[in-house]
Amino acid sequence: MPRTRLIRRRVRRPLLALLAATALLLGAGLAPAGVAAAAPTPSAPNEGGSKQLRAALDAAARGHIEAKARLDNSKRRQVALTGQLKQVELRLVELNSQVGEVAAQSYRLGRLTPVSMLLASSDPNAFLKRAAELDVMAQRDSKRLHAFTEARAEAAKAKAAIDIEVREQQKQLAVLAKKKRDAEIALARVSSGSSSGFSGGSTSAKPAPRNPDGSWPSESCSVNDPTTSGCITPRTLHALQQAQAAGYKRYVSCFRSGGDGEHPKGRACDFSAASGGFEDVSATGGDKAYGDSLANYFKNNASRLGVMYVIWYRQIWMPNTGWRSYSGGGSPAADHTNHVHLSMY
């Protein structure tokens, strides 16, 4: 074989291989006409924070909510008891005048006894009439005195019950003060102090079901999470549905297996600020306004929904501290500048 032909073959083979590889790469990178590329599934953000911090925030917020429910229930009982006492006192005023009539009558009769009054009757008919009158008077006076005694006892009982409620309220106020201190101590690790919060979110949510005494029922991760393949609590589902009904319909992720905090318990959701899902950048413009409004919506409806705390854009809201600054570690996910975090009771 001539030397020139051999050289051409040796040069041509690597060139053909290079061209084939280039065509393969271009073909893999281009989708056929009319076929849209699949959008990536947004992954849940790495929110940072320590297990100890989350546990401390949970305990402080949970303790506050429970003490507040007991305080409110005690106040309702006190109002009812106070109304009852007023009614009893009005009845006592009326009964007191009736008892006064009985006393005045006894004073006027002096030493006269029923027997002497009967013997003083002029004839048998008068005797019988006087006997009937005395019986009526005795029954009436007995009822008046009995009613008066019962009313006084009822008033004393109502006053004692009110005193108990006042002591209960003082006790719960002390618990609230302690839980506030606990929250402030926990937040001291990630917060430099109070902050201004956000605007928007003025829509009122439909209240979640409570127990007859005003407390929140105990719930487990028992209903399907519509945002993942996991589960959430009925109260968390209610909060999610209420937010969506209020117009907050961007990407959400609630249940997350493994780790600590409320996500594995079905008591937390992350609401993306961006319409396309969680982005590794801080929200700006319309996305920031969306997050502001959503965070304030949960804050405004906390008592209706059972919210423990909300974190958004380097701020955290708790019912016992209000808005405080928050530093989660510097990334958009850890500082919660790309999503609103909601933790439920």
Side-chain angles (χ1 to χ4, degrees):
M1 180 180 295
R3 181 181 178 86
T4 55
R5 185 179 298 176
L6 180 61
I7 293 174
R8 287 175 183 172
R9 285 185 179 180
R10 289 178 179 176
V11 172
R12 188 183 303 162
R13 287 174 182 172
L15 180 60
L16 290 174
L18 178 61
L19 291 173
T22 302
L24 180 62
L25 289 173
L26 290 174
L30 296 175
V35 179
T41 301
S43 58
N46 181 5
E47 298 183 288
S50 66
K51 179 179 180 180
Q52 292 77 11
L53 173 62
R54 283 188 284 271
L57 294 179
D58 180 280
R62 182 176 294 274
H64 172 92
I65 291 172
E66 292 171 353
K68 184 67 165 56
R70 288 191 289 267
L71 176 64
D72 291 343
N73 193 37
S74 177
K75 287 181 177 179
R76 285 191 292 270
R77 289 196 300 266
Q78 183 182 1
V79 169
L81 287 167
T82 301
Q84 178 184 337
L85 178 60
K86 287 181 178 179
Q87 294 298 321
V88 173
E89 288 176 338
L90 289 174
R91 194 161 76 249
L92 273 173
V93 171
E94 180 182 354
L95 290 171
N96 190 53
S97 64
Q98 295 177 5
V99 171
E101 291 177 7
V102 174
Q105 176 181 283
S106 299
Y107 178 78
R108 287 195 304 271
L109 293 176
R111 294 179 177 273
L112 290 177
T113 64
V115 175
S116 62
M117 291 178 66
L118 289 172
L119 292 175
S121 302
S122 58
D123 56 62
N125 289 332
F127 179 89
L128 293 175
K129 181 180 179 182
R130 182 62 61 84
E133 290 174 349
L134 285 172
D135 183 60
V136 171
M137 289 173 59
Q139 290 185 32
R140 182 197 63 193
D141 294 345
S142 176
K143 288 180 179 179
R144 287 176 175 177
L145 291 171
H146 181 70
F148 182 75
T149 302
E150 279 193 336
R152 287 182 62 181
E154 189 176 349
K157 183 179 179 181
K159 289 179 180 178
I162 290 173
D163 291 340
I164 291 174
E165 296 304 333
V166 170
R167 289 194 294 271
E168 172 67 13
Q169 290 165 32
Q170 292 171 343
K171 175 183 174 182
Q172 297 308 323
L173 286 171
V175 173
L176 288 173
K178 181 182 183 303
K179 293 303 177 182
K180 181 179 180 180
R181 290 193 299 271
D182 292 346
E184 290 171 343
I185 291 172
L187 288 173
R189 310 170 195 171
V190 294
S191 175
S192 59
S194 60
S195 57
S196 58
F198 307 96
S199 59
S202 58
T203 305
S204 294
K206 179 182 177 182
R210 288 180 180 260
N211 292 322
D213 64 356
S215 62
W216 292 110
S218 177
E219 294 182 347
S220 62
C221 198
S222 58
V223 298
N224 292 332
D225 176 13
T227 70
T228 70
S229 59
C231 61
I232 53 178
T233 67
R235 195 157 41 247
T236 304
L237 177 61
H238 176 78
L240 171 62
Q241 291 173 336
Q242 287 298 297
Q244 291 173 335
Y248 304 102
K249 299 181 179 180
R250 295 187 178 182
Y251 186 81
V252 188
S253 178
C254 295
F255 179 82
R256 193 151 64 237
S257 62
D260 52 80
E262 289 81 36
H263 282 290
K265 302 172 185 176
R267 295 196 286 109
C269 292
D270 291 328
F271 296 76
S272 170
S275 58
F278 302 115
E279 297 179 353
D280 194 24
V281 294
S282 295
T284 59
D287 293 345
K288 172 67 163 54
Y290 177 87
D292 289 354
S293 180
L294 177 58
N296 212 43
Y297 169 82
F298 285 130
K299 173 256 181 185
N300 290 339
N301 289 285
S303 63
R304 297 184 184 94
L305 299 175
V307 174
M308 281 209 310
Y309 59 87
V310 181
I311 310 177
W312 164 243
Y313 227 88
R314 304 186 190 93
Q315 296 187 48
I316 180 171
W317 180 88
M318 298 178 68
N320 45 2
T321 64
W323 285 109
R324 301 289 295 266
S325 63
Y326 180 88
S327 175
S331 70
D335 283 345
H336 295 74
T337 55
N338 66 349
H339 74 282
V340 176
H341 173 90
L342 171 70
S343 281
M344 298 292 295
Y345 178 84

